[in-house]
Amino acid sequence: MNKVKAFLTLLVSLVIAGLIAAFVLMIYYDRAVWTIAFVMVCIVVIDAFFAIYIMNSKRHMNTKACWLLAIAILPLAGCLFFVIFGTMPMNRKDWRLAMMSQAKYNKFEDYSFSKSFVKNNTESSNLFSYSYRNELKPIYHRNHVEAIPSNTKSYSEVIRLIRSAKDFIHMETYILRDGFFLRTLIAELILKAKSGVKVRFLYDWYGGWQKFKRKQVNDLREAGVEVGVFNPPGINIFKSATNYRLHRKAIIIDNKYAFYGGSNIGDEYLSIDPKKYYWRDQNFIFEGEIVNSLNIVFINDWLDFTDDTVKPELKQELLSTIDKYLKIHKASKTENMQLCTNTPNYEEKGIMNLMAIMMLRAKKSIKLVTPYFLPTELCLSALKIAARSGVNVQIVLPGKRDNKSFIMTMNRGQYTELLNVWCKVYEYDGFIHSKYLIVDDKYVLTTSANFDFRSFWSDFEDGILVDSPKFSRQMKQIFQNEVANSTLITKEKSKQLNTWWAKFRLALLNLYKPLL
């Protein structure tokens, strides 16, 4: 528990105890009117204190408004909820401090191509310059990427890559759900660990909560697999840190190859869960220098956010041998790529800003696929400005929901605003979990992030920007296939979907959209 949260918790606890004591004493001495007045004044003072604190904190303005509304609707109780769920477990670092904290990893990157590339002053170099200057992320040239055409093919590629590992496997995921996929994966990782391959497996605590059997993780550890839990709960699962989640998904093989995309570990991501309707996800296999950037992100997550779930001696072992895990592999092909990230402990939101830059610079077309469309003002404005400027904006969203019952209401609540500026909106015939942005059929941003407040502000995310003619053509064809399996939303269709009940639900959900 950080100092701010400890102080606020103590303050609220003392105030509540004092109010109860004063209330009892005043009732005992028959001072009912004074009791009510005293309690009301104390509540107003406490609410005002928290309101001032929230307004001066480093949060998105919409998030501040949500917490202020909670305090106004639920006096004192809203303050208690804020203490439990709203205080930030990490300090928001400014640019200088953030760069200093990651300097220890920069020496394992190669900036030779980046330095010459950004000086070209071309359209491509200007786009890549944002993450280079903002996050010191290198631009790599010796890379190759292939889009995996189907969910079932993704499964076979994961198994193939794991079996090909000779030195190490680094894997991180958000959701970990029991089923055929997880059990097969565990069996394969155990075999590799027993053969002498170093295997590190990292999953988010919240994403795996009550979704698998403890024995499954114990079996991995007994076989020699190092298992880390991102942001473990500790004594109390109800804490503000629970709101900050590892949403990245990557499997890194020998620092040469990476399986990367939208899929977590669960049968629904393979379209084999009989309880789920058709689930579409897009994954990729990356080869080359870019894998080193992904691996550095994994190592940072492993060392800094796993607390006691990874023994200190194992972390020290990784640190002492880190050079062998970060040997840069150069692919035979040349495709420009760059990693960008989002973390809640850094003021700049790299993925959100890069998306906005790409959309604002679009000249011909924007193609966006995302499961959750709850955009920040920046990204929504960028889309609308592009559309009003004559850019052909196409957006593919799910036609059916996942386990989040509110998502269709929230997505559809944006349709009127999008259609009014001539955006083309499609609903996929099923649930689409893919996340990518294509601009001018040239630049592709593949990312773990959804197009919403949570991904842009609260979760640990990453994305890979690609400039490759062959890959952009491949992604354009994939997008066209998504559109072919979708329904175009017209203004009449939008009115049918947004019934009075949907509008009522939306009105309530909009109050807390940034916290969803």
Side-chain angles (χ1 to χ4, degrees):
M1 183 181 291
N2 64 10
K3 293 180 180 179
V4 172
K5 185 172 182 179
F7 169 74
L8 292 174
T9 303
L10 178 62
L11 176 65
V12 173
S13 300
L14 290 175
V15 169
I16 292 175
L19 287 175
I20 293 173
F23 184 78
V24 171
L25 288 173
M26 289 183 178
I27 290 295
Y28 179 78
Y29 289 108
D30 194 21
R31 297 289 189 274
V33 174
W34 284 104
T35 301
I36 296 172
F38 174 77
V39 170
M40 293 296 294
V41 169
C42 287
I43 290 175
V44 169
V45 171
I46 295 170
D47 283 358
F49 170 82
F50 273 85
I52 293 171
Y53 173 81
I54 291 170
M55 284 302 298
N56 288 278
S57 64
K58 295 178 179 179
R59 288 175 173 80
H60 192 279
M61 192 61 207
N62 293 65
T63 306
K64 293 179 182 180
C66 288
W67 282 115
L68 291 176
L69 183 62
I71 291 173
I73 294 175
L74 302 170
L76 200 59
C79 298
L80 186 60
F81 289 144
F82 175 77
V83 169
I84 297 173
F85 299 109
T87 52
M88 293 183 290
M90 310 160 200
N91 293 322
R92 300 272 188 184
K93 298 176 183 176
D94 61 19
W95 184 88
R96 183 180 59 84
L97 291 176
M99 294 305 100
M100 288 175 60
S101 67
Q102 76 170 46
K104 56 187 175 183
Y105 299 111
N106 291 342
K107 63 182 179 181
F108 297 106
E109 298 276 30
D110 183 356
Y111 291 89
S112 56
F113 177 77
S114 308
K115 292 175 182 178
S116 59
F117 182 74
V118 296
K119 293 179 181 179
N120 294 338
N121 196 29
T122 62
E123 178 186 73
S124 180
S125 65
N126 289 339
L127 183 60
F128 279 85
S129 290
Y130 171 74
S131 293
Y132 175 71
R133 300 182 189 281
N134 182 57
E135 300 181 73
L136 299 184
K137 296 299 184 186
I139 305 149
Y140 283 125
H141 186 55
R142 300 290 296 276
N143 307 287
H144 180 59
V145 58
E146 287 287 343
I148 303 174
S150 67
N151 294 4
T152 51
K153 182 66 173 176
S154 290
Y155 168 77
S156 61
E157 287 298 310
V158 167
I159 301 304
R160 181 186 67 82
L161 285 172
I162 289 175
R163 290 177 178 175
S164 72
K166 294 179 174 59
D167 298 318
F168 70 89
I169 299 170
H170 286 168
M171 179 175 180
E172 61 182 343
T173 187
Y174 173 53
I175 290 176
L176 197 64
R177 194 189 310 278
D178 190 17
F180 172 79
F181 190 14
L182 177 59
R183 295 178 188 184
T184 306
L185 188 68
I186 288 173
E188 294 290 337
L189 292 178
I190 286 175
L191 286 174
K192 296 308 291 188
K194 288 183 176 179
S195 71
V197 173
K198 176 64 73 173
V199 182
R200 295 182 175 92
F201 185 90
L202 176 61
Y203 70 93
D204 183 81
W205 169 79
Y206 183 85
W209 186 37
Q210 296 184 341
K211 294 183 178 70
F212 63 91
K213 300 173 183 176
R214 185 183 297 271
K215 182 180 183 301
Q216 292 171 305
V217 170
N218 291 339
D219 288 344
L220 285 170
R221 287 194 170 111
E222 289 174 4
V225 176
E226 295 180 24
V227 181
V229 183
F230 188 93
N231 187 23
I235 298 175
N236 179 21
I237 66 172
F238 300 108
K239 59 178 184 176
S240 55
T242 303
N243 195 44
Y244 300 88
R245 303 164 191 170
L246 177 72
H247 201 245
R248 297 169 176 145
K249 302 106 177 171
I251 304 175
I252 298 161
I253 308 296
D254 298 338
N255 216 40
K256 296 179 179 179
Y257 302 95
F259 176 89
Y260 175 88
S263 289
N264 293 291
I265 307 303
D267 287 355
E268 62 269 34
Y269 298 95
L270 304 181
S271 300
I272 61 173
D273 187 342
K275 297 180 181 179
K276 302 283 185 179
Y277 33 77
Y278 183 67
W279 191 295
R280 170 78 177 109
D281 220 327
Q282 185 59 59
N283 296 292
F284 310 88
I285 295 178
F286 285 88
E287 179 194 1
E289 299 167 314
I290 191 65
V291 179
N292 190 64
S293 293
L294 278 172
N295 200 17
I296 286 176
V297 169
F298 171 88
I299 290 173
N300 183 67
D301 291 341
W302 182 268
L303 294 175
D304 292 354
F305 298 105
T306 52
D307 293 347
D308 296 332
T309 61
V310 177
K311 296 178 180 178
E313 54 267 29
L314 294 178
K315 292 185 178 183
Q316 186 57 44
E317 177 190 352
L318 173 58
L319 281 171
S320 63
T321 59
I322 194 170
D323 288 8
K324 75 175 186 179
Y325 296 105
L326 296 174
K327 293 179 180 178
I328 296 178
H329 166 71
K330 296 181 182 294
S332 59
K333 298 184 179 180
T334 55
E335 297 173 357
N336 294 341
M337 299 182 191
Q338 182 185 44
L339 185 73
C340 58
T341 61
N342 262 8
T343 62
N345 59 334
Y346 177 32
E347 288 183 349
E348 284 291 319
K349 302 305 171 187
I351 295 176
M352 179 183 73
N353 292 341
L354 180 58
M355 281 187 164
I357 291 170
M358 292 176 68
M359 292 185 291
L360 288 171
R361 290 186 177 182
K363 297 179 176 63
K364 299 177 181 178
S365 65
I366 293 173
K367 297 176 174 66
L368 173 67
V369 180
T370 183
Y372 310 138
F373 191 83
L374 286 74
T376 59
E377 286 86 348
L378 175 63
C379 286
L380 183 60
S381 295
L383 268 177
K384 292 167 65 177
I385 290 171
R388 287 185 180 277
S389 301
V391 175
N392 180 20
V393 178
Q394 296 174 281
I395 305 170
V396 177
L397 303 172
K400 296 185 182 297
R401 67 178 181 85
D402 59 354
N403 60 316
K404 297 179 178 65
S405 60
F406 62 84
I407 193 60
M408 300 305 296
T409 301
M410 296 300 295
N411 283 357
R412 289 169 174 173
Q414 312 289 330
Y415 288 177
T416 300
E417 195 168 359
L418 293 171
L419 295 175
N420 284 342
V421 294
W422 309 291
C423 293
K424 295 177 183 177
V425 180
Y426 302 87
E427 282 195 356
Y428 185 76
D429 298 334
F431 182 74
I432 191 163
H433 195 251
S434 307
K435 315 163 203 296
Y436 59 86
L437 173 67
I438 308 172
V439 170
D440 292 340
D441 294 331
K442 182 178 182 182
Y443 303 107
V444 181
L445 178 65
T446 69
T447 175
S448 64
N450 301 308
F451 207 73
D452 63 3
F453 277 87
R454 166 163 293 284
S455 283
F456 291 152
W457 281 88
S458 300
D459 290 346
F460 290 76
E461 308 274 10
D462 50 30
I464 299 177
L465 177 61
V466 181
D467 179 7
S468 163
K470 180 181 177 181
F471 181 60
S472 61
R473 288 194 297 270
Q474 186 181 20
M475 290 305 299
K476 179 182 178 181
Q477 183 59 54
I478 288 173
F479 182 85
Q480 289 173 345
N481 291 341
E482 314 292 26
V483 169
N485 289 286
S486 302
T487 301
L488 177 66
I489 302 299
T490 62
K491 289 187 177 181
E492 291 72 21
K493 182 67 174 178
S494 177
K495 290 179 181 179
Q496 293 173 10
L497 295 173
N498 286 288
T499 62
W500 70 268
W501 173 241
K503 290 179 180 179
F504 176 74
R505 290 187 67 197
L506 181 65
L508 297 178
L509 289 167
N510 276 336
L511 296 176
Y512 296 99
K513 180 168 68 172
L515 303 180
L516 295 174

